[in-house]
Amino acid sequence: MKNIIVDETTKRELVRAAKEAAGNAYAPYSGYKVGAALLCDDGSRYTGCNVENAAYPCGICAERTAAAKAVSEGNRDFRMIAVVGSSAEKCTPCGMCRQVLYEFAPDMTVLCADNSGEYDEVKLSDLLIRGFGASSLK
Ligand code: THU
């Protein structure tokens, strides 16, 4: 699947899966539920939601939940991620999530969606310009 263009249907499926994952979000403090659906080069998919905590910094975003699920199951070849927030505004990954995704796939695509399913398609490298990555340490 690596060099195959991801079609519109797959993108819509990812956004739908992200929205479904947002249903599991634990966000009693912000009230802002987020879902993510990550597609890897071999076609496998991992979803995630934000999980907040009474000790606020212990919370984790939806994108990092999905990324940790993929990596912990042996898959680091991120291709595309859809992110959906519970508002009419399209949800873009926070800075920490951009950095975590960049570690594995600087060239991956991000679908930033709103709660109606509309999305903008952006490159992670445009969200994190001149990002610091594994190659920076060489
Ligand atoms: N959040 C995410 O899960 N992903 C993002 O990209 C933006 C922010 C979560 C973190 C926190 O639980 C809530 O949204 C409000 O910031």
Side-chain angles (χ1 to χ4, degrees):
M1 166 143 197
K2 194 163 177 53
N3 295 313
I4 294 170
I5 306 266
V6 178
D7 64 17
E8 190 64 31
T9 305
T10 303
K11 291 173 190 171
R12 297 233 161 263
E13 279 173 14
L14 284 175
V15 170
R16 195 163 1 99
K19 200 169 171 180
E20 197 178 319
N24 291 326
Y26 176 70
Y29 304 106
S30 71
Y32 186 69
K33 296 185 169 195
V34 186
L38 175 64
L39 174 70
C40 290
D41 287 339
D42 65 358
S44 51
R45 300 173 188 196
Y46 302 87
T47 58
C49 62
N50 54 334
V51 183
E52 297 183 349
N53 192 279
Y56 292 2
C58 296
I60 185 168
C61 292
E63 301 91 314
R64 277 177 290 134
T65 301
K69 283 170 72 176
V71 174
S72 63
E73 291 188 24
N75 206 331
R76 302 173 190 164
D77 301 320
F78 302 172
R79 173 68 167 274
M80 184 176 285
I81 191 167
V83 191
V84 181
S86 56
S87 80
E89 186 123 331
K90 288 174 180 138
C91 186
T92 55
C94 76
M96 195 180 281
C97 290
R98 293 177 198 202
Q99 181 68 34
V100 168
L101 295 172
Y102 193 89
E103 176 73 18
F104 301 105
D107 296 322
M108 73 183 294
T109 299
V110 184
L111 306 178
C112 304
D114 63 26
N115 60 5
S116 77
E118 289 301 304
Y119 63 86
D120 290 336
E121 180 171 340
V122 289
K123 301 299 289 179
L124 177 62
S125 52
D126 288 329
L127 292 174
L128 192 67
I129 297 163
R130 297 187 67 181
F132 186 87
S135 64
S136 309
L137 291 171
K138 285 181 188 144

